[in-house]
Amino acid sequence: MPQRDNPYVQPIKRRALIALGANAAAPQGSPAQSLRAAMAQVAALGSAVRESRLWRSPAFPAGIGPDFVNAAMVLETERDADDLLAELHRVEAAFGRERQTRWGPRSLDLDLLALDDLVLPDLAAWSLWRDLTPEAQARETPDRLILPHPRLQDRGFVLAPLAEVAPDWRHPVTGFDVTQMRDALPTAALDGVEPLD
């Protein structure tokens, strides 16, 4: 938590990258309406906010439900990674998110993709989660925050909107920026990923 009560401690501002997605109705309305409302709540967690357009993408994995609406945001925040993640989960809960099925339909999904160039909890743990087989990815969930998001570089539905707001952010492990990661994706990873409006 930031030390706001000590006038001699300058808060550290970090750049947070956040992915948003939804493919099920929420109390706030359709997935597109929910994302717009959620973006306003996420923006309140920091400053200097940049927001992508809304994007449409096929459900991932294929067959889990209707198409998703996706977006990305960048904000400067004084919050540490765990505090920011807890706030994102609070916003998800307000939109009816229930974590019952891995990769199931979602009324709102907020992923903390990165916080500056932090690698959490360490490079070995990040590498372990990055290298999981697809079968293990479907079964296993980390018991702690892994940053950068270990699938960030593989997902067109994340990188396409993220390239609108943080094209120059460089992955602290691979060294590639967002534009390079998006452009390196196989064509299939971007099939059906397109601006909503």
Side-chain angles (χ1 to χ4, degrees):
M1 223 22 209
Q3 297 183 14
R4 300 183 208 285
D5 54 345
N6 186 337
Y8 300 106
V9 175
Q10 290 290 344
I12 297 171
K13 288 209 173 210
R14 294 185 172 103
R15 181 165 64 156
L17 308 182
I18 299 165
L20 302 91
N23 73 334
Q28 292 77 2
S30 70
Q33 292 167 323
S34 293
L35 252 60
R36 288 188 182 98
M39 289 168 106
Q41 291 193 30
V42 171
L45 301 175
S47 61
V49 176
R50 281 179 279 156
E51 301 175 353
S52 74
R53 294 176 288 177
L54 298 185
W55 289 69
R56 176 183 297 113
S57 65
F60 176 85
I64 66 158
D67 286 352
F68 269 83
V69 177
N70 296 98
M73 296 179 69
V74 177
L75 66 149
E76 288 184 6
T77 183
E78 297 170 9
R79 298 174 186 275
D80 65 28
D82 288 325
D83 183 43
L84 183 55
L85 183 63
E87 287 297 315
L88 294 177
H89 286 173
R90 183 190 58 72
V91 173
E92 285 181 337
F95 282 71
R97 172 74 188 268
E98 295 179 1
R99 296 175 183 277
Q100 296 177 342
T101 305
R102 183 136 170 88
W103 291 343
R106 300 169 184 99
S107 56
L108 180 63
D109 187 22
L110 300 176
D111 283 332
L112 178 56
L113 300 174
L115 193 59
D116 277 345
D117 59 356
L118 292 179
V119 178
L120 297 177
D122 55 41
L123 182 57
W126 181 87
S127 299
L128 175 74
W129 286 99
R130 171 61 186 94
D131 296 337
L132 281 184
T133 65
E135 297 77 24
Q137 291 174 37
R139 289 189 317 268
E140 299 177 31
T141 305
D143 62 355
R144 67 187 92 179
L145 179 58
I146 308 294
L147 288 181
H149 190 292
R151 307 277 163 258
L152 164 68
Q153 60 281 340
D154 303 329
R155 294 183 172 167
F157 62 85
V158 170
L159 291 172
L162 191 59
E164 291 187 333
V165 292
D168 61 337
W169 177 81
R170 198 167 288 281
H171 196 293
V173 178
T174 69
F176 294 112
D177 67 31
V178 171
T179 303
Q180 290 169 321
M181 289 187 282
R182 181 201 61 199
D183 293 349
L185 287 172
T187 304
L190 289 165
D191 282 350
V193 178
E194 55 192 27
L196 192 60
D197 41 24

